[in-house]
Every structure is written in C-alpha cells, then in structure tokens.
Amino acid sequence: QGAKVDEFEGVLADYFGNQQLVTVNAATSALHLSAHLLKTPSADGSWPGLQPGDEVLTSALTCTATNWALLANGLKLKWVDVDPDTCNMDLDDLERKLSPATKLITVVHWGGYPNDLDRLKEIQTRAKEKFGFRPPVIEDCAHAFGSRYKGKLLGNHGNFACFSLQAIKHFTTGDGGVLILPDEEMQRRAKLLRWYGIDRDQPGKDDFRCEEDIPEWGYKFHMNDISATIGLYNFPHVAACLQGFRDNAKHYDQVLQGVDGVTLMRRDEWADSASWIYTLKVERRLDFMRYMEEQGVMVSRVHERNDKHSCVAESVTPLPNLDKLSEEMICIPNGWWVTGDDRDYIVDCIKKGW
C-alpha cells in the first residue's frame, strides 16, 4: 500500500461515511477475506468462529465469484431460492432453511437492487434466539456501488459489504474492490491480512519486511497505487455515471410497463438501485435473444446459476422459483453510454414483438 492508496481510501471513507473500510485488488478478494476473518471466535464468546464444513446460506443466482470465495474457505454451500420479482434472495426461504449448522449468510444485491436488510436483521435475531449465535451477513455489493437502502448507502448497515471496482462496473480502478467491515478490530485485521499479515505502519522499524513479526498470516489482496490513481481520477465522474444508469432504468420502467410478453421487476419505495444491469422477464426468451441480436441489440443473462456446475453437485437442492426465473430473465442495455435515441430504439424493438 502506498500514498495513492491511502488517499483513495480517504476519498472512499468520506463517500460512505464509514471509516471501517479497506481497499483490495478485487471484490472476490473482499469476499474471501470476509469469510477468513470470521474464522476467529469473538473474545466474548458470542461468535464461535467459522470451521471447515460449516454451512453458508447463499444464492445461486450470482457470479461464481460470490460462492467460489466461500468454497475456498472450506464452507459448505446451502442454496436459498430467489424472489422472482427482484432476483434477490427469497428471505422466506432463507428463514425456513436456517439450522444450527448455519454459520453465515451471503446475499447478493442483484443489479444493484438492495435486499430488505431490516428483514434480514430480524432473521438473524431469530436465529440467535434458536441457536445461540447470530449468523453474520456478507453483502455482495459487486453490482451496487451507490445503491441505497432506506436512504443509506449500502455498506452502512452493520454487515461485511464487498464492492467491485472492476473494469465494467459503475466506478472502476481498472480492477479492484472495497471491503467495508462491521467494526474497527475487523478493519485492523483486514488491513494486515490483505498483505501477508505484515504491519507496514509499525513505528521504529528500519526494515519492516524483515523485522516485523507476523502473528496471523495473510494474503496478497492489497490494492496498488496504479489502481488507486485510476480510482482517484474516475471518482469525480461517479455521480453522473450512476445517474445515467438510473435514468435509463427509470425510462424502461415507464415505457415497458404493460408491454405484451414482458414482465418488469418489482420496485419497492425503500430501494434506490444503482441499476448496474436492467433485468426483465420475457416470454420465449431464446427467441427474444435471437430477435434482439438480429436488431443489433446486445442482451444477456449475465450470469449462469451457480448450482448447475458440477463442482458443486453435492449442494443441489430444489429451487422452484429460480427454475422458472432462469428460463425468463434477460438483461437489456442501460449503461450511462446508452443515449436517449439508443433506448428508444431498444424499446421500439421490444414493442414490435419477437
């Protein structure tokens, strides 16, 4: 970590209004580091610590990075179904699947649309009442830089929150990530463990690489000054970039309502999505994809459901909502670069039918 990383972290801390953060080289590293930090039991005995084979309740509708980082920490995946109206986790199914083996919950804010975090806290409380501990929550915010839940930016709700600064996200450092921690002690450890466990700030050392003891080993997850510099120069454009995504999404919400063959996602009044991707449901999706390609419009499912991969075959479980949703959902262009003329053309194509 160098001077530019320090400067960049200061900018981010001001933005989030939360000092408990560290930068890393990818959101995947933030996810991995979050789970690793949770292996240590709490001093007061309220948290037993993660052990190999412990169960994590998680969504299969996400980038594989979300769940592969959990597997890399020796955890056992237990799939939770999705809410077909938001693509986020079905919190009713989450509560049904809680058990004494549930040691962690991971939620994904699909397309930047926030999960109901207050409901999630209630579920954590009921888990503590039943099983004696509160399963921590890791929020995968890779789609959600700038998203707000009930007026507060994601990352300010007491959980681990992992943001992506990868090349195609709202705000980029070329590649990189941000990890927001629930307390200062977790931040202190994260700062050490992202770079081998070495304390670079230890005073009175002539050669910290050689003289500093390492009480807890770590990783090479740190951000470098090149990435931080890219971030510093991109940051002034974040607000305008986010507004472009949101404006395009709002336009689609208005003009695609009631179109034959199209079902829009739900929009709750407490949710302010960063709208990184615009997802809708269509009839005869394969025909829709071929038709839009013929019209010169790129559409995509974005991510394959993770539970289809053979490397997690042992975790297969019925997910009826996801089964249906995964045959209907599709994402259409809505980035800041999509002009008014572009989106009108996209809408006209959809309204003509496929």
Side-chain angles (χ1 to χ4, degrees), residues 80-147:
V80 180
D81 213 347
V82 298
D83 178 346
D85 295 325
T86 64
C87 298
N88 283 338
M89 184 177 281
D90 180 343
L91 298 185
D92 291 332
D93 193 44
L94 171 68
E95 187 158 14
R96 284 192 295 268
K97 289 177 176 173
L98 286 171
S99 76
T102 303
K103 298 289 284 295
L104 182 64
I105 298 167
T106 301
V107 296
V108 178
H109 302 293
W110 178 268
Y113 192 82
N115 286 261
D116 188 341
L117 296 176
D118 285 347
R119 171 85 191 283
L120 196 56
K121 286 181 180 179
E122 293 171 0
I123 292 171
Q124 287 177 284
T125 299
R126 284 193 283 274
K128 183 177 181 180
E129 292 169 352
K130 290 180 179 180
F131 310 124
F133 62 88
R134 189 181 185 88
V137 169
I138 298 176
E139 298 177 43
D140 184 333
C141 303
H143 297 179
F145 193 97
S147 294

Coordinates of all heavy atoms in Angstrom, one line a residue, residues 80-147:
V80 N -30.3 -21.0 -1.3 CA -31.6 -20.4 -1.0 C -32.3 -20.0 -2.3 O -31.6 -19.5 -3.2 CB -31.4 -19.2 0.0 CG1 -32.7 -18.6 0.3 CG2 -30.7 -19.7 1.2
D81 N -33.6 -20.2 -2.4 CA -34.3 -19.8 -3.6 C -34.3 -18.2 -3.7 O -33.9 -17.5 -2.8 CB -35.7 -20.3 -3.6 CG -36.2 -20.7 -4.9 OD1 -35.6 -20.3 -6.0 OD2 -37.3 -21.4 -5.0
V82 N -34.8 -17.8 -4.9 CA -34.8 -16.3 -5.2 C -36.2 -15.8 -5.2 O -37.2 -16.5 -5.3 CB -34.1 -16.0 -6.6 CG1 -32.7 -16.4 -6.6 CG2 -34.9 -16.7 -7.7
D83 N -36.3 -14.5 -5.0 CA -37.5 -13.8 -5.2 C -37.7 -13.5 -6.7 O -36.9 -12.7 -7.2 CB -37.5 -12.5 -4.4 CG -38.7 -11.6 -4.5 OD1 -39.5 -11.9 -5.4 OD2 -38.9 -10.7 -3.7
P84 N -38.6 -14.1 -7.4 CA -38.7 -13.9 -8.8 C -39.0 -12.5 -9.3 O -38.9 -12.2 -10.5 CB -39.7 -14.9 -9.2 CG -40.6 -15.1 -8.0 CD -39.7 -15.0 -6.9
D85 N -39.4 -11.7 -8.3 CA -39.8 -10.3 -8.7 C -38.6 -9.3 -8.5 O -38.8 -8.1 -8.9 CB -41.0 -9.8 -7.8 CG -42.2 -10.6 -8.1 OD1 -42.4 -11.0 -9.3 OD2 -43.0 -10.9 -7.2
T86 N -37.5 -9.8 -7.9 CA -36.4 -8.9 -7.7 C -35.0 -9.5 -8.1 O -34.1 -8.8 -8.3 CB -36.2 -8.4 -6.3 OG1 -35.9 -9.6 -5.5 CG2 -37.5 -7.7 -5.8
C87 N -35.0 -10.8 -8.3 CA -33.8 -11.6 -8.5 C -32.9 -11.7 -7.2 O -31.8 -12.3 -7.3 CB -33.0 -11.1 -9.7 SG -33.8 -11.1 -11.3
N88 N -33.3 -11.1 -6.1 CA -32.6 -11.2 -4.9 C -33.0 -12.5 -4.1 O -33.9 -13.2 -4.6 CB -32.8 -10.0 -4.0 CG -32.0 -8.8 -4.5 OD1 -31.0 -8.9 -5.2 ND2 -32.5 -7.6 -4.1
M89 N -32.4 -12.7 -3.0 CA -32.7 -13.9 -2.2 C -34.2 -13.8 -1.7 O -34.7 -12.8 -1.2 CB -31.7 -14.0 -1.0 CG -31.9 -15.2 -0.1 SD -30.6 -15.3 1.2 CE -29.2 -15.9 0.2
D90 N -34.8 -15.0 -1.7 CA -36.1 -15.2 -1.1 C -35.9 -15.3 0.4 O -35.5 -16.3 0.9 CB -36.8 -16.4 -1.7 CG -38.2 -16.7 -1.1 OD1 -38.5 -16.1 0.0 OD2 -38.9 -17.4 -1.7
L91 N -36.3 -14.2 1.2 CA -36.0 -14.2 2.6 C -36.9 -15.2 3.4 O -36.5 -15.6 4.5 CB -36.0 -12.8 3.2 CG -35.0 -11.9 2.5 CD1 -35.1 -10.5 3.2 CD2 -33.6 -12.4 2.6
D92 N -38.1 -15.5 2.8 CA -38.9 -16.5 3.5 C -38.2 -17.9 3.4 O -38.2 -18.6 4.4 CB -40.3 -16.6 2.8 CG -41.1 -15.4 3.0 OD1 -40.9 -14.7 4.1 OD2 -42.0 -15.1 2.2
D93 N -37.6 -18.2 2.2 CA -36.9 -19.4 2.1 C -35.7 -19.5 2.9 O -35.3 -20.5 3.5 CB -36.6 -19.7 0.6 CG -36.1 -21.1 0.3 OD1 -36.7 -22.0 0.8 OD2 -35.1 -21.3 -0.4
L94 N -35.0 -18.3 3.1 CA -33.8 -18.2 3.9 C -34.2 -18.6 5.4 O -33.5 -19.4 6.0 CB -33.3 -16.8 3.9 CG -32.2 -16.5 4.9 CD1 -30.9 -17.2 4.6 CD2 -31.9 -15.0 5.0
E95 N -35.3 -18.0 5.9 CA -35.7 -18.3 7.2 C -36.0 -19.8 7.4 O -35.7 -20.4 8.4 CB -36.8 -17.4 7.7 CG -37.1 -17.5 9.1 CD -37.8 -16.3 9.7 OE1 -38.3 -15.5 8.9 OE2 -37.9 -16.2 10.9
R96 N -36.7 -20.4 6.4 CA -37.1 -21.8 6.5 C -35.8 -22.7 6.6 O -35.9 -23.7 7.2 CB -37.9 -22.2 5.3 CG -39.3 -21.7 5.4 CD -40.1 -22.4 4.3 NE -39.7 -22.0 2.9 CZ -40.3 -21.0 2.2 NH1 -41.2 -20.3 2.7 NH2 -39.8 -20.8 1.0
K97 N -34.7 -22.3 5.9 CA -33.6 -23.1 5.8 C -32.5 -22.9 6.9 O -31.5 -23.6 7.0 CB -32.9 -22.9 4.5 CG -33.8 -23.6 3.4 CD -33.2 -23.3 2.0 CE -34.1 -24.1 0.9 NZ -33.7 -23.8 -0.5
L98 N -32.8 -22.0 7.8 CA -31.9 -21.8 9.0 C -31.8 -23.1 9.8 O -32.8 -23.7 10.0 CB -32.4 -20.6 9.9 CG -32.2 -19.2 9.4 CD1 -32.9 -18.3 10.3 CD2 -30.7 -18.8 9.3
S99 N -30.6 -23.4 10.3 CA -30.5 -24.6 11.1 C -29.3 -24.3 12.1 O -28.6 -23.3 11.9 CB -30.2 -25.8 10.3 OG -28.8 -25.8 9.8
P100 N -29.1 -25.2 13.1 CA -27.9 -25.0 13.9 C -26.6 -25.0 13.2 O -25.6 -24.5 13.7 CB -28.0 -26.2 14.9 CG -29.4 -26.6 14.9 CD -29.9 -26.3 13.5
A101 N -26.6 -25.6 12.0 CA -25.4 -25.6 11.2 C -25.1 -24.3 10.4 O -24.0 -24.1 9.8 CB -25.4 -26.8 10.2
T102 N -26.1 -23.4 10.3 CA -26.0 -22.2 9.6 C -25.1 -21.2 10.3 O -25.4 -20.7 11.3 CB -27.4 -21.5 9.4 OG1 -28.2 -22.4 8.7 CG2 -27.2 -20.3 8.5
K103 N -23.9 -21.0 9.7 CA -22.9 -20.1 10.4 C -22.7 -18.8 9.7 O -22.1 -17.9 10.2 CB -21.6 -20.9 10.5 CG -21.6 -22.1 11.3 CD -21.7 -21.8 12.8 CE -20.5 -21.3 13.4 NZ -19.4 -22.4 13.4
L104 N -23.3 -18.7 8.4 CA -23.0 -17.5 7.6 C -24.2 -17.3 6.6 O -24.7 -18.3 6.2 CB -21.7 -17.6 6.9 CG -21.2 -16.5 6.0 CD1 -21.0 -15.2 6.9 CD2 -19.9 -16.9 5.3
I105 N -24.5 -16.1 6.3 CA -25.5 -15.8 5.3 C -24.8 -14.8 4.3 O -24.2 -13.8 4.7 CB -26.7 -15.1 5.9 CG1 -27.4 -16.0 6.9 CG2 -27.7 -14.7 4.8 CD1 -28.5 -15.3 7.7
T106 N -24.9 -15.1 3.0 CA -24.4 -14.3 2.0 C -25.6 -13.8 1.0 O -26.3 -14.7 0.5 CB -23.3 -15.0 1.1 OG1 -22.3 -15.4 2.0 CG2 -22.8 -14.1 0.1
V107 N -25.7 -12.5 0.9 CA -26.8 -12.0 0.0 C -26.1 -11.2 -1.1 O -25.1 -10.6 -1.0 CB -27.8 -11.1 0.7 CG1 -28.6 -12.0 1.8 CG2 -27.2 -9.9 1.4
V108 N -26.8 -11.3 -2.3 CA -26.3 -10.5 -3.5 C -27.4 -9.5 -3.8 O -28.6 -9.8 -3.9 CB -26.1 -11.5 -4.7 CG1 -25.7 -10.7 -5.9 CG2 -25.1 -12.6 -4.3
H109 N -26.9 -8.3 -4.0 CA -27.8 -7.2 -4.4 C -27.9 -7.2 -6.0 O -27.1 -6.5 -6.6 CB -27.4 -5.8 -3.9 CG -27.3 -5.8 -2.4 ND1 -28.4 -5.9 -1.5 CD2 -26.2 -5.7 -1.6 CE1 -28.0 -5.8 -0.3 NE2 -26.7 -5.7 -0.3
W110 N -28.7 -8.0 -6.5 CA -28.7 -8.2 -8.0 C -29.0 -6.9 -8.7 O -30.0 -6.3 -8.5 CB -29.8 -9.3 -8.3 CG -29.9 -9.5 -9.8 CD1 -30.7 -8.9 -10.7 CD2 -29.0 -10.4 -10.6 NE1 -30.4 -9.4 -12.0 CE2 -29.5 -10.3 -11.9 CE3 -28.1 -11.4 -10.3 CZ2 -28.9 -11.1 -12.9 CZ3 -27.5 -12.1 -11.3 CH2 -27.9 -12.0 -12.6
G111 N -28.1 -6.6 -9.7 CA -28.3 -5.4 -10.5 C -28.2 -4.1 -9.7 O -28.5 -3.1 -10.2
G112 N -27.8 -4.2 -8.4 CA -27.7 -3.1 -7.5 C -29.0 -2.9 -6.7 O -29.1 -1.9 -5.9
Y113 N -30.0 -3.8 -6.9 CA -31.3 -3.6 -6.1 C -31.1 -4.2 -4.7 O -30.8 -5.4 -4.6 CB -32.4 -4.3 -6.9 CG -33.8 -4.0 -6.4 CD1 -34.4 -2.8 -6.8 CD2 -34.4 -4.7 -5.4 CE1 -35.6 -2.4 -6.3 CE2 -35.7 -4.4 -4.9 CZ -36.3 -3.2 -5.4 OH -37.5 -2.9 -4.9
P114 N -31.3 -3.4 -3.7 CA -31.0 -3.8 -2.3 C -31.9 -4.9 -1.9 O -33.1 -4.9 -2.1 CB -31.2 -2.5 -1.5 CG -31.1 -1.4 -2.4 CD -31.7 -1.9 -3.7
N115 N -31.4 -5.8 -1.1 CA -32.2 -6.8 -0.3 C -32.8 -6.0 0.8 O -32.4 -4.9 1.2 CB -31.3 -7.9 0.2 CG -30.9 -8.9 -0.8 OD1 -31.5 -10.0 -0.9 ND2 -29.9 -8.6 -1.6
D116 N -33.9 -6.6 1.4 CA -34.5 -6.0 2.6 C -33.6 -6.3 3.8 O -33.7 -7.3 4.5 CB -35.9 -6.6 2.8 CG -36.7 -5.8 3.8 OD1 -36.1 -5.2 4.7 OD2 -37.9 -6.0 3.8
L117 N -32.8 -5.3 4.1 CA -31.8 -5.5 5.2 C -32.4 -5.5 6.6 O -31.8 -6.2 7.5 CB -30.7 -4.5 5.1 CG -29.9 -4.6 3.8 CD1 -28.8 -3.4 3.7 CD2 -29.1 -5.9 3.6
D118 N -33.5 -4.8 6.8 CA -34.1 -4.8 8.1 C -34.7 -6.2 8.3 O -34.6 -6.8 9.4 CB -35.2 -3.8 8.2 CG -34.6 -2.4 8.4 OD1 -33.4 -2.3 8.7 OD2 -35.4 -1.4 8.2
R119 N -35.4 -6.8 7.3 CA -35.9 -8.1 7.5 C -34.8 -9.1 7.7 O -35.0 -10.1 8.5 CB -36.7 -8.5 6.2 CG -37.1 -9.9 6.1 CD -38.4 -10.2 6.8 NE -38.7 -11.6 6.9 CZ -39.1 -12.4 5.9 NH1 -39.4 -11.9 4.7 NH2 -39.3 -13.7 6.1
L120 N -33.7 -8.9 7.1 CA -32.6 -9.8 7.3 C -32.1 -9.7 8.7 O -31.7 -10.8 9.3 CB -31.4 -9.4 6.3 CG -30.3 -10.4 6.1 CD1 -30.8 -11.7 5.6 CD2 -29.3 -9.8 5.0
K121 N -32.0 -8.6 9.3 CA -31.6 -8.4 10.7 C -32.6 -9.2 11.6 O -32.2 -9.8 12.6 CB -31.6 -7.0 11.1 CG -30.4 -6.2 10.5 CD -30.3 -4.8 11.0 CE -29.1 -4.1 10.4 NZ -29.1 -2.6 10.8
E122 N -33.9 -9.1 11.3 CA -34.9 -9.8 12.1 C -34.6 -11.3 12.1 O -34.7 -12.1 13.1 CB -36.3 -9.5 11.6 CG -36.7 -8.1 11.8 CD -38.0 -7.7 11.1 OE1 -38.6 -8.6 10.5 OE2 -38.5 -6.6 11.2
I123 N -34.3 -11.8 10.9 CA -34.0 -13.2 10.7 C -32.7 -13.6 11.5 O -32.7 -14.7 12.2 CB -33.8 -13.6 9.2 CG1 -35.2 -13.4 8.5 CG2 -33.3 -15.0 9.0 CD1 -35.1 -13.5 7.0
Q124 N -31.7 -12.8 11.5 CA -30.5 -13.0 12.3 C -30.9 -13.1 13.8 O -30.4 -14.0 14.5 CB -29.5 -11.9 12.1 CG -28.8 -11.9 10.8 CD -27.8 -10.7 10.7 OE1 -28.3 -9.6 10.5 NE2 -26.6 -10.9 10.9
T125 N -31.7 -12.2 14.2 CA -32.1 -12.2 15.6 C -32.8 -13.5 16.0 O -32.6 -14.1 17.1 CB -33.0 -11.0 15.9 OG1 -32.3 -9.8 15.7 CG2 -33.5 -11.0 17.4
R126 N -33.8 -14.0 15.2 CA -34.5 -15.2 15.4 C -33.5 -16.4 15.4 O -33.7 -17.3 16.2 CB -35.6 -15.4 14.5 CG -36.8 -14.5 14.8 CD -38.0 -14.9 14.0 NE -38.0 -14.4 12.6 CZ -38.4 -13.2 12.2 NH1 -38.8 -12.3 13.1 NH2 -38.3 -12.9 10.9
A127 N -32.5 -16.3 14.6 CA -31.5 -17.4 14.6 C -30.8 -17.5 15.9 O -30.5 -18.6 16.4 CB -30.6 -17.2 13.4
K128 N -30.4 -16.3 16.4 CA -29.7 -16.3 17.7 C -30.6 -16.8 18.8 O -30.1 -17.5 19.7 CB -29.3 -14.8 18.0 CG -28.5 -14.7 19.3 CD -28.0 -13.3 19.6 CE -27.2 -13.3 20.9 NZ -26.7 -11.9 21.2
E129 N -31.9 -16.5 18.8 CA -32.8 -17.0 19.8 C -32.9 -18.5 19.8 O -33.0 -19.2 20.8 CB -34.2 -16.3 19.6 CG -34.2 -14.8 19.9 CD -35.5 -14.2 19.4 OE1 -36.3 -14.9 18.7 OE2 -35.7 -13.0 19.7
K130 N -32.8 -19.1 18.5 CA -33.0 -20.5 18.4 C -31.7 -21.3 18.6 O -31.7 -22.3 19.2 CB -33.5 -20.8 17.0 CG -34.9 -20.4 16.7 CD -35.3 -20.8 15.3 CE -36.7 -20.5 15.0 NZ -37.1 -20.8 13.6
F131 N -30.6 -20.7 18.1 CA -29.3 -21.5 18.1 C -28.2 -20.9 18.9 O -27.1 -21.5 19.0 CB -28.9 -21.6 16.6 CG -30.0 -22.1 15.7 CD1 -30.3 -21.3 14.6 CD2 -30.7 -23.3 16.0 CE1 -31.4 -21.8 13.7 CE2 -31.7 -23.7 15.1 CZ -32.1 -22.9 14.0
G132 N -28.4 -19.7 19.5 CA -27.4 -19.2 20.4 C -26.4 -18.3 19.8 O -25.5 -17.8 20.6
F133 N -26.4 -18.1 18.5 CA -25.5 -17.1 17.9 C -26.1 -16.5 16.7 O -27.1 -17.0 16.2 CB -24.1 -17.8 17.5 CG -24.3 -18.8 16.5 CD1 -24.2 -18.6 15.1 CD2 -24.5 -20.2 16.9 CE1 -24.4 -19.5 14.2 CE2 -24.6 -21.2 15.9 CZ -24.6 -20.9 14.6
R134 N -25.6 -15.3 16.3 CA -26.2 -14.5 15.2 C -25.3 -14.8 14.0 O -24.2 -14.4 13.9 CB -26.1 -13.1 15.6 CG -26.8 -12.1 14.7 CD -26.7 -10.7 15.3 NE -27.4 -9.7 14.5 CZ -28.7 -9.4 14.8 NH1 -29.3 -10.0 15.8 NH2 -29.3 -8.5 14.0
P135 N -25.8 -15.5 13.0 CA -25.0 -15.7 11.8 C -24.7 -14.4 11.1 O -25.6 -13.6 10.8 CB -25.9 -16.5 10.9 CG -27.1 -16.9 11.7 CD -27.2 -16.0 12.8
P136 N -23.4 -14.1 10.9 CA -23.0 -12.9 10.2 C -23.5 -12.8 8.8 O -23.8 -13.9 8.2 CB -21.5 -12.9 10.2 CG -21.1 -13.9 11.3 CD -22.2 -14.9 11.3
V137 N -23.6 -11.6 8.2 CA -24.1 -11.4 6.8 C -23.0 -10.8 6.0 O -22.4 -9.8 6.5 CB -25.3 -10.6 6.8 CG1 -25.6 -10.1 5.3 CG2 -26.5 -11.3 7.4
I138 N -22.7 -11.4 4.9 CA -21.8 -10.8 3.9 C -22.7 -10.3 2.8 O -23.4 -11.1 2.2 CB -20.7 -11.8 3.4 CG1 -19.8 -12.2 4.5 CG2 -19.9 -11.1 2.3 CD1 -18.8 -13.3 4.1
E139 N -22.6 -9.0 2.5 CA -23.3 -8.5 1.3 C -22.4 -8.4 0.1 O -21.4 -7.7 0.2 CB -23.8 -7.1 1.7 CG -24.8 -6.9 2.8 CD -25.2 -5.5 3.1 OE1 -25.4 -4.7 2.1 OE2 -25.2 -5.1 4.3
D140 N -22.8 -9.1 -0.9 CA -22.1 -9.0 -2.2 C -22.7 -7.8 -2.9 O -23.8 -7.8 -3.5 CB -22.3 -10.2 -3.0 CG -21.5 -10.2 -4.3 OD1 -21.2 -9.1 -4.8 OD2 -21.1 -11.3 -4.8
C141 N -21.9 -6.7 -2.9 CA -22.4 -5.4 -3.5 C -21.6 -5.1 -4.8 O -21.5 -4.0 -5.2 CB -22.1 -4.3 -2.5 SG -22.8 -4.4 -0.9
A142 N -21.3 -6.2 -5.5 CA -20.5 -6.0 -6.8 C -21.3 -5.2 -7.8 O -20.7 -4.5 -8.6 CB -20.1 -7.4 -7.3
H143 N -22.6 -5.3 -7.8 CA -23.4 -4.6 -8.7 C -23.9 -3.2 -8.1 O -24.7 -2.5 -8.8 CB -24.7 -5.4 -9.1 CG -24.5 -6.7 -9.8 ND1 -25.5 -7.5 -10.1 CD2 -23.3 -7.3 -10.2 CE1 -25.0 -8.6 -10.7 NE2 -23.7 -8.5 -10.7
A144 N -23.5 -2.9 -6.9 CA -24.3 -2.0 -6.1 C -23.6 -0.8 -5.6 O -24.0 -0.2 -4.6 CB -25.0 -2.7 -4.9
F145 N -22.5 -0.3 -6.2 CA -21.9 0.9 -5.8 C -22.8 2.1 -6.0 O -23.3 2.3 -7.1 CB -20.6 1.1 -6.6 CG -19.7 2.2 -6.0 CD1 -18.6 1.8 -5.2 CD2 -19.9 3.5 -6.2 CE1 -17.8 2.8 -4.6 CE2 -19.1 4.5 -5.7 CZ -18.0 4.1 -4.9
G146 N -23.2 2.7 -4.9 CA -24.1 3.9 -5.0 C -25.5 3.5 -4.6 O -26.4 4.4 -4.5
S147 N -25.8 2.2 -4.5 CA -27.2 1.8 -4.1 C -27.5 2.2 -2.7 O -26.6 2.2 -1.8 CB -27.4 0.3 -4.2 OG -27.3 -0.1 -5.6

